[in-house]
Amino acid sequence: MESGESVVANEPSQAAVTRPAVDPSTAQTDPRYTYPMIFIAGLLSAIVTIWHAVVLLRGYFWQDDFLYVYRAATVPLVDYLFQGYNGHLMQGQFLLVWLVTQWAPLNWAMAVLPLVALQILAYVLFWRLLVRLFGHRLEVLVPFAVFV
């Protein structure tokens, strides 16, 4: 008998059957394994997100940000969304700038808020992807830490 295996015999007439001490299929969903991993991933995400938010809040608009805000305030939405900018068509970015400008023009804290929210969303989605692909394993924290 190898280490990590146990002997199970239900009746004296039945031959002893060996099986792993921990069933791998239940280890994936066992709260003893999943909750600490989620806690560690959440703590790591929170630390990096707070650090990122603090660093971002020390900044302010820069260079072409003022042009984005000016155009968002003066150009109609459809024209603003479909304008070319240095050979790029960036509807998502322009929509976000337009929304922030309409809500709170030249307010840096409000401009940082969507960035931090999208960062949190990326962390959650990447964690779910890793768990879906590899299950709740300690090794999943390594690529997650690299991503974060």
Side-chain angles (χ1 to χ4, degrees):
M1 178 178 4
E2 296 179 21
S3 65
E5 294 182 341
S6 61
V7 176
V8 177
N10 291 342
E11 296 180 34
S13 64
Q14 226 179 10
V17 177
T18 61
R19 66 177 175 171
V22 177
D23 185 12
S25 63
T26 60
Q28 299 284 328
T29 58
D30 189 354
R32 293 177 297 171
Y33 299 103
T34 58
Y35 293 144
M37 301 246 331
I38 293 171
F39 176 75
I40 292 169
L43 183 64
L44 184 62
S45 299
I47 290 169
V48 173
T49 302
I50 290 169
W51 175 72
H52 189 208
V54 168
V55 170
L56 278 174
L57 287 172
R58 291 182 177 185
Y60 196 65
F61 296 103
W62 181 255
Q63 295 181 348
D64 59 351
D65 295 337
F66 293 107
L67 182 60
Y68 288 171
V69 172
Y70 172 75
R71 287 185 180 167
T74 59
V75 176
L77 177 62
V78 175
D79 294 336
Y80 182 66
L81 288 180
F82 293 101
Q83 70 177 337
Y85 190 80
N86 290 335
H88 302 282
L89 189 61
M90 307 180 296
Q91 294 99 347
Q93 178 179 344
F94 287 144
L95 179 62
L96 183 60
V97 170
W98 184 84
L99 289 171
V100 170
T101 302
Q102 298 303 314
W103 190 24
L106 293 178
N107 185 334
W108 181 247
M110 289 299 142
V112 167
L113 187 65
L115 296 174
V116 174
L118 288 173
Q119 178 183 10
I120 293 169
L121 178 66
Y123 291 161
V124 169
L125 291 177
F126 189 66
W127 176 256
R128 289 180 51 106
L129 174 73
L130 288 174
V131 169
R132 171 77 50 104
L133 291 175
F134 305 111
H136 286 282
R137 301 178 182 185
L138 187 61
E139 296 83 11
V140 169
L141 288 172
V142 174
F144 185 74
V146 170
F147 179 73
V148 170

